[in-house]
Amino acid sequence: MRLLLPGLALLGLLSSPTLACPKIPAAGAAIDGLLKQTSLSETDQKKVETLGEQVKTLAAAGKEEDARKAEEEAMRVLGFDKTWLKCGPGTFMWVKHEKKADAAPKG
């Protein structure tokens, strides 16, 4: 019993950061779903579709870094930025751009 409580406490400490961290998504995983949910100009829509195809091609060829760069560009057009998380190497999540309010008129 003496070892059980410290053992459970240690197990809790070791497992909690892992549970809080999302798994690293496959390159381009978010693009298709967000493209269907976001209204874009025809030009931007074509650009995102082209970049999405590039991501798939590059990832299939094992060019992960290039695929991630194309993914970031597509996500930027969709209105998202990559936010790095502190829970492990390579962990991130996509965060919607915040629209800045226009400056209030001075009067």
Side-chain angles (χ1 to χ4, degrees):
M1 186 69 173
R2 249 186 218 174
L3 294 175
L4 181 62
L5 291 177
L8 288 175
L10 181 61
L11 180 63
L13 289 173
L14 293 175
S15 64
S16 61
T18 316
L19 296 175
C21 292
K23 293 183 179 176
I24 300 170
I31 295 173
D32 292 333
L34 289 171
L35 189 56
K36 293 174 188 172
Q37 299 172 14
T38 308
S39 59
L40 298 172
S41 69
E42 189 175 326
T43 305
D44 285 344
Q45 173 114 11
K46 291 286 184 194
K47 184 175 184 176
V48 171
E49 288 171 356
T50 301
L51 287 164
E53 290 303 316
Q54 285 178 7
V55 169
K56 290 174 187 172
T57 303
L58 290 165
K63 297 180 178 182
E64 184 74 18
E65 188 175 332
D66 292 333
R68 292 290 181 184
K69 286 179 185 177
E71 176 187 38
E72 280 188 61
E73 188 176 343
M75 291 299 287
R76 213 170 293 119
V77 174
L78 287 166
F80 289 82
D81 288 318
K82 185 182 275 189
T83 299
W84 294 102
L85 304 175
K86 295 180 180 181
C87 53
T91 56
F92 66 91
M93 61 188 280
W94 295 109
V95 178
K96 184 82 173 152
H97 293 305
E98 288 186 31
K99 292 186 178 183
K100 295 181 182 177
D102 293 332
K106 295 179 183 178

